[in-house]
């Protein structure tokens, strides 16, 4: 299997950015994933100038380029959870927001002629164990009460038996990168720019705000932070987001042999969908093996288990791609879309989309456009980052932060006193080793050279963990990721892990 996302592999990297970055814009948008590109596109349509700044050289190549890309309002057993925690009005508003996003994507794709393999499909949340059926029936009832096209069924097209499923009719799926590159192509011009390969390194709030970047400062009347995990965290988001990830494997099949719908298990989160290939076949995309980012576990072993599950359940001869899907969940399960912190008038944020970034990321663009242009939007309060339901979720808040506190102290780290030093590292492997007061992230490459970095994450100092499948250093606290030379792959960290001398 190629360790590469199909969404990236099947799209080029058109050069939409320019080498020289702009001095100012009405709105500076940080992060060119689905939320950032959609927000910038909509604000430009509303008559504003935008500067969309992306640290990567490519657009939609981070979290958005590594998703399963279901465009659906069915989010596992979300509606039963929201109804029991916060009441039916919140569940109804959440569902309405998702359908707003689906309908906007469909309408806009037709209007601009975007070729993004968009198609309407039914979506299913299923269980295999009879004991899970009552919970699924509750979800069907809560979703229907929230006004969604939900129905409990016992029959599906899956090639294995299920005990029951909730079907949502009329949902959608697409190729996320084709969609976003089509939107992004319409952003530059008339005072708006896309700047790639430029990392934002500082933010001074004011009127205008000033964003420091690796290419120089940019002024903006508004700043929107859509960097997955918010950088310049003024809203204490690091304490109320939990980084999770799922693994994905994908391989080609005959469309007649595999289900046409989109599926997710509410028991173990295995998910299945297809996307069309140019040769008439479909690519079957299978997700699963959810775990917290930076957990002390072998990611390679999780891939083996997902591959075995997929081979056992689906008629796919060969899985050719594998990638990691990263998500942030919030303490009350609702995204944070709105003001960055209670005292700001012109800095905005969108994050915490759970496992459902396609609709929530699109909804973020629609909401932020309205908030910035002063249009009333009845959904704004539900997603406001300072909302009451966040404060109601104190138990989740404490649980998430107890985990982070343990990682800051650095529990269960190998020491030279108890484990062999880096000399014993095999090519392709890495490990955190403490030597005296130093914590060293040691990696040996395939040629046998040793790469030693500080193991303290440059965000808030947690100890990073080696990811043996991707060969990256992942932070278990807030999911910053670094390559084996210390470069930031994803934030909230904005500074690399410093090189250090190997232990004696
Ligand atoms: Fe926050 Fe590493 S990402 S401490």
């Amino acid at each position: 299997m190629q360790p590469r996302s199909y969404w990236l592999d099947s799209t080029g990297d058109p050069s939409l950015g320019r080498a020289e970055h702009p001095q100012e814009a009405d709105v500076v948008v940080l992060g060119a994933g689905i939320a950032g590109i959609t927000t910038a596109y909509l604000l430009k349509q509303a008559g504003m100038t935008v500067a969309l700044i992306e640290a990567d050289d490519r657009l939609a190549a981070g979290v958005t380029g590594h998703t399963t890309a279901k465009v659906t309002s069915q989010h596992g057993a979300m509606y039963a959870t929201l109804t029991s925690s916060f009441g039916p009005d919140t569940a109804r508003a959440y569902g309405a927001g998702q359908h707003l996003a689906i309908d906007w994507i469909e309408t806009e794709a037709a209007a601009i002629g975007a070729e993004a393999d968009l198609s309407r499909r039914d979506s299913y949340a299923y269980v295999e164990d009879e004991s899970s059926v009552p919970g699924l029936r509750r979800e069907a009832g809560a979703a229907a009460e929230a006004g969604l096209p939900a129905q409990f069924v016992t029959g599906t097209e899956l090639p294995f038996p299920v005990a029951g499923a909730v079907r949502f009719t009329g949902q959608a799926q697409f190729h996320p990168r084709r969609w976003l590159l089509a939107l992004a192509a319409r952003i530059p011009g008339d005072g708006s720019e896309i700047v790639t390969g430029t990392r934002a390194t500082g933010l001074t709030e004011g009127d205008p705000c000033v964003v420091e970047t690796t290419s120089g400062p940019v002024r903006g009347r508004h700043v929107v932070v859509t960097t997955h995990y918010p950088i310049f965290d003024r809203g204490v988001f690091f304490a109320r987001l939990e980084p999770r990830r799922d693994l994905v494997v994908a391989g080609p099949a005959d469309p007649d042999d595999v289900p046409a719908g989109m599926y997710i298990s509410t028991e173990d989160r295995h998910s299945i969908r297809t996307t069309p290939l140019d040769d008439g076949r479909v690519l079957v995309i299978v997700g699963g093996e959810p775990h917290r980012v930076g957990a002390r576990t072998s990611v390679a072993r999780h891939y083996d288990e997902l591959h075995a599950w997929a081979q056992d359940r689906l008629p796919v001869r060969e899985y050719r791609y594998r990638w990691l899907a990263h998500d942030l969940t919030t303490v009350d399960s609702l995204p944070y879309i709105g003001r960055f912190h209670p005292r700001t008038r012109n800095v905005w944020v969108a994050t915490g989309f759970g496992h459902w970034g396609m609709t929530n990321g699109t909804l973020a663009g629609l909401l932020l456009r309205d908030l910035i242009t002063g249009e009333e939007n009845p959904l704004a309060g539900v997603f406001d980052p300072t909302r009451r339901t966040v404060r109601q979720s104190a138990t989740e808040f404490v649980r998430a932060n107890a985990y982070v506190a343990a990682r800051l102290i650095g529990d269960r780290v190998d020491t030279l006193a108890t484990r062999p030093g880096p000399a014993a590292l095999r090519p392709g492997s890495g490990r955190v080793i403490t030597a005296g007061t130093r914590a060293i992230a040691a990696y040996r490459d395939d040629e046998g050279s040793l790469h030693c970095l500080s193991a303290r994450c440059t965000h808030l100092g947690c100890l990073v963990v080696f990811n043996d499948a991707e060969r990256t250093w992942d932070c278990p606290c807030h999911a910053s990721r670094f390559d084996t030379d210390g470069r930031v792959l994803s934030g909230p960290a904005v500074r690399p892990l410093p090189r250090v001398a190997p232990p004696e």
Side-chain angles (χ1 to χ4, degrees):
M1 277 186 283
Q2 295 185 57
R4 190 165 162 77
S5 155
Y6 167 73
W7 310 125
L8 293 174
D9 203 45
S10 54
T11 43
D13 289 313
S15 175
L16 297 170
R18 68 173 199 180
E20 208 176 299
H21 80 124
Q23 305 292 307
E24 61 187 357
D26 291 332
V27 187
V28 181
V29 180
L30 305 178
I34 189 164
I37 292 174
T38 307
T39 302
Y41 174 83
L42 286 164
L43 287 170
K44 169 139 191 225
Q45 274 196 328
M48 303 182 95
T49 58
V50 295
L52 174 58
I53 296 176
E54 168 56 46
D56 201 294
D57 291 330
R58 302 157 301 169
L59 303 173
V63 172
T64 297
H66 294 81
T67 169
T68 53
K70 295 175 184 159
V71 188
T72 174
S73 61
Q74 183 177 53
H75 297 177
M78 186 69 158
Y79 298 96
T81 303
L82 289 179
T83 301
S84 69
S85 299
F86 308 117
D89 288 350
T90 300
R92 195 170 300 116
Y94 184 83
Q98 308 310 310
H99 273 274
L100 193 67
I102 298 169
D103 294 344
W104 179 79
I105 289 171
E106 185 176 60
T107 304
E108 202 66 17
I112 66 175
E115 302 207 347
D117 299 329
L118 178 69
S119 62
R120 291 276 184 174
R121 303 283 163 118
D122 289 350
S123 170
Y124 297 79
Y126 71 90
V127 296
E128 295 178 75
D129 193 315
E130 281 294 336
S131 67
S132 302
V133 168
L136 206 59
R137 285 190 182 277
R138 272 195 299 282
E139 172 62 11
E145 194 187 344
L148 297 158
Q151 187 185 17
F152 182 84
V153 297
T154 51
T156 73
E157 326 150 278
L158 287 170
F160 52 87
V162 301
V166 180
R167 180 175 65 207
F168 276 35
T169 53
Q171 307 301 300
Q173 62 182 30
F174 65 1
H175 187 307
R177 204 153 183 266
R178 286 190 184 139
W179 165 241
L180 290 170
L181 291 178
L183 290 189
R186 288 159 174 82
I187 293 171
D190 301 325
S192 294
E193 300 289 351
I194 296 177
V195 186
T196 53
T198 295
R199 186 172 291 281
T201 55
L203 168 65
T204 305
E205 293 188 44
D207 195 8
C209 298
V210 180
V211 177
E212 298 294 339
T213 78
T214 47
S215 311
V218 192
R219 291 183 301 280
R221 284 200 287 128
H222 296 267
V223 172
V224 179
V225 180
T226 56
T227 52
H228 186 53
Y229 218 110
I231 55 174
F232 320 128
D233 189 351
R234 311 271 159 89
V236 201
F237 289 99
F238 68 83
R240 44 197 181 113
L241 288 166
E242 183 167 272
R244 310 282 309 172
R245 70 178 161 213
D246 292 75
L247 277 55
V248 181
V249 296
D254 188 310
D256 294 333
D257 293 343
V258 289
M262 303 177 288
Y263 290 85
I264 188 162
S265 162
T266 60
E267 293 167 324
D268 56 18
R269 285 194 46 78
H270 281 115
S271 74
I272 301 165
R273 67 158 280 196
T274 59
T275 195
L277 293 170
D278 291 342
D279 62 6
R281 293 182 298 170
V282 292
L283 190 76
V284 181
I285 300 168
V286 184
E289 296 291 311
H291 59 275
R292 186 170 172 128
V293 177
R296 284 171 66 91
T297 180
S298 166
V299 180
R301 185 176 53 73
H302 281 297
Y303 270 123
D304 289 344
E305 291 187 4
L306 179 61
H307 188 214
W309 186 91
Q311 280 190 313
D312 189 44
R313 300 295 183 102
L314 296 159
V316 175
R317 206 169 298 150
E318 184 193 6
Y319 285 89
R320 296 187 179 165
Y321 294 94
R322 66 169 170 85
W323 67 87
L324 289 173
H326 286 89
D327 298 301
L328 291 171
T329 56
T330 66
V331 292
D332 63 358
S333 305
L334 296 163
Y336 302 131
I337 305 168
R339 290 186 197 279
F340 205 14
H341 59 82
R343 297 170 311 287
T344 188
R345 287 184 307 106
N346 55 356
V347 185
W348 309 88
V349 70
T351 187
F353 302 149
H355 306 287
W356 309 102
M358 298 300 99
T359 49
N360 277 322
T362 303
L363 174 63
L366 293 163
L367 274 177
L368 290 170
R369 175 202 54 195
D370 289 352
L371 289 165
I372 290 170
T373 58
E375 283 290 316
E376 189 125 335
N377 191 311
L379 298 176
V382 176
F383 298 95
D384 183 339
T386 62
R387 60 188 172 256
R388 188 168 47 89
T389 50
V390 173
R391 299 192 291 276
Q392 281 175 350
S393 307
T395 312
E396 274 302 298
F397 186 88
V398 169
R399 187 186 61 73
N401 286 286
Y403 182 91
V404 170
R407 293 298 171 172
L408 277 167
I409 295 164
D411 60 337
R412 294 180 296 164
V413 173
D414 302 330
T415 70
L416 285 178
T418 58
R419 291 280 297 274
L425 280 175
R426 291 188 321 279
S429 67
R431 188 152 53 84
V432 172
I433 295 166
T434 54
T437 56
R438 295 193 304 152
I440 298 168
Y443 164 72
R444 190 174 298 286
D445 66 25
D446 289 336
E447 282 69 50
S449 300
L450 191 63
H451 301 245
C452 287
L453 306 165
S454 165
R456 290 281 173 200
C457 174
T458 55
H459 176 227
L460 291 177
C462 289
L463 287 177
V464 295
V465 173
F466 188 65
N467 173 337
D468 60 352
E470 314 294 317
R471 297 194 187 184
T472 57
W473 294 104
D474 300 349
C475 180
C477 288
H478 314 110
S480 288
R481 297 174 65 230
F482 306 86
D483 70 14
T484 49
D485 288 322
R487 285 184 290 258
V488 178
L489 296 173
S490 57
V494 295
R495 288 176 290 116
L497 296 176
R499 286 184 186 281
V500 297
E504 300 293 319

